[in-house]
Amino acid sequence: MSQEEFVLELKKLGIELTEQKEKQLKKYYEMLVEYNKHMNLTGITEKADVYLKHFYDSLTLEKAIHLEKMHTLCDIGTGAGFPGLVLKIIFPNLKVTLVDSLNKRILFLQDVITELGLTEIEAKHVRAEEFAKLHREEYDIVTSRAVANLSLLSEISLPLVRENGYFIPMKGHLEIDITTLNSIIKKLNGKLEEIISFDLPNEHSVRNLLKIRKIDKTNIKYPRKFSDIKKKPLQ
């Protein structure tokens, strides 16, 4: 994806890319590539691929909900900051929490946040299930991109969502049937309102956004361990 294509596709999402945001994304890309020489942050490093498969892909969350109207967002298993850090750059109104269990990723994210001069964003080195115990019903939006095991991910994420807020996992192909998913999220006081399916531009790989609303407060148990959930490279 060229820079021109990136700008054009963002306009289709209703997103205007300002000069400042463009510069911040460019610096983010440069730091991603540089740090990736010494640590395994991503297998995608070509600029066109990063802008398509990381930056643009992260911003497709806007297809599910208008992020300018939201306040708090948590990204579970953020990895190198996708989608949470990209969303913060483009939607500075968001107060963002990035959660990851690998400290080297958190150190990278903290360096990017400092370099870009971002505020109201924090990167937390903590296991997701431990974080969920302490931050129940705090967020308007909880999301996660390219994280496997939607069943367990729902158990971790829905307790973090405030009443009438949304858990919106970003998936490639769905590894669970909808009947089973509905049964799981119903027990967590969630309701699947919509599945938004689309192809990425140019390469036409499949993406799915699952828009799950927290319908009321719940006394669910603390979530199971998150250790078997792994980031999956999106194709």
Side-chain angles (χ1 to χ4, degrees):
M1 173 177 275
S2 68
Q3 189 70 20
E4 293 76 15
E5 289 172 322
F6 181 66
V7 171
L8 178 61
E9 292 298 332
L10 289 191
K11 286 183 178 179
K12 293 178 183 179
L13 295 176
I15 298 172
E16 292 290 335
L17 188 65
T18 65
E19 183 178 352
Q20 179 187 10
K21 293 172 183 177
E22 187 174 353
K23 288 180 179 178
Q24 287 177 320
L25 287 176
K26 182 175 181 292
K27 186 62 179 180
Y28 184 7
Y29 166 71
E30 290 171 351
M31 293 183 71
L32 178 71
V33 172
E34 183 60 32
Y35 278 65
N36 202 62
K37 295 175 182 178
H38 311 290
M39 62 179 73
N40 183 26
L41 293 170
T42 177
I44 299 171
T45 56
E46 291 297 324
K47 186 173 183 180
D49 291 335
V50 170
Y51 271 75
L52 173 62
K53 296 182 180 181
H54 286 329
F55 292 171
Y56 173 80
D57 194 18
S58 294
L59 292 165
T60 60
L61 191 68
E62 180 71 3
K63 288 177 176 283
I65 197 157
H66 295 303
L67 292 164
E68 286 185 351
K69 298 180 180 179
M70 299 294 107
H71 179 53
T72 54
L73 180 143
C74 181
D75 179 10
I76 295 294
T78 188
F82 311 122
L85 184 48
V86 180
L87 294 172
K88 175 61 183 180
I89 292 170
I90 301 300
F91 298 97
N93 56 290
L94 291 173
K95 184 176 181 179
V96 173
T97 304
L98 308 173
V99 176
D100 202 274
S101 62
L102 195 59
N103 194 46
K104 68 178 183 179
R105 293 177 187 148
I106 295 300
L107 294 175
F108 163 72
L109 293 170
Q110 289 171 342
D111 284 351
V112 176
I113 289 166
T114 299
E115 182 67 27
L116 300 186
L118 300 176
T119 59
E120 291 198 306
I121 179 171
E122 55 183 353
K124 294 282 192 180
H125 174 222
V126 61
R127 294 175 63 86
E129 67 271 19
E130 296 302 320
F131 183 81
K133 292 178 183 179
L134 302 174
H135 298 276
R136 297 181 68 174
E137 300 182 348
E138 286 192 10
Y139 294 95
D140 298 329
I141 304 291
V142 176
T143 189
S144 190
R145 174 180 174 267
V147 174
N149 195 329
L150 191 52
S151 170
L152 185 50
L153 183 61
S154 297
E155 290 186 34
I156 297 286
S157 301
L158 268 167
L160 294 165
V161 181
R162 65 164 178 79
E163 188 175 348
N164 291 316
Y166 285 91
F167 167 46
I168 310 178
M170 309 177 75
K171 304 288 290 182
H173 292 284
L174 299 179
E175 80 283 352
I176 186 172
D177 67 84
I178 300 307
T179 300
T180 302
L181 177 62
N182 275 323
S183 176
I184 292 166
I185 64 175
K186 184 178 180 180
K187 295 175 183 177
L188 300 166
N189 283 29
K191 180 181 179 181
L192 179 61
E193 290 191 341
E194 187 179 7
I195 298 177
I196 301 166
S197 300
F198 57 95
D199 292 347
L200 282 185
N202 301 339
E203 64 161 36
H204 306 298
S205 52
V206 175
R207 295 292 185 269
N208 291 282
L209 306 176
L210 290 83
K211 189 174 181 180
I212 302 169
R213 182 166 64 91
K214 182 75 162 289
I215 56 177
D216 56 36
K217 292 182 179 179
T218 179
N219 293 315
I220 62 171
K221 296 179 180 179
Y222 290 148
R224 293 184 282 134
K225 289 186 177 181
F226 196 65
S227 56
D228 60 327
I229 295 184
K230 304 294 183 183
K231 277 277 187 180
K232 278 189 174 181
L234 290 172
Q235 301 301 318

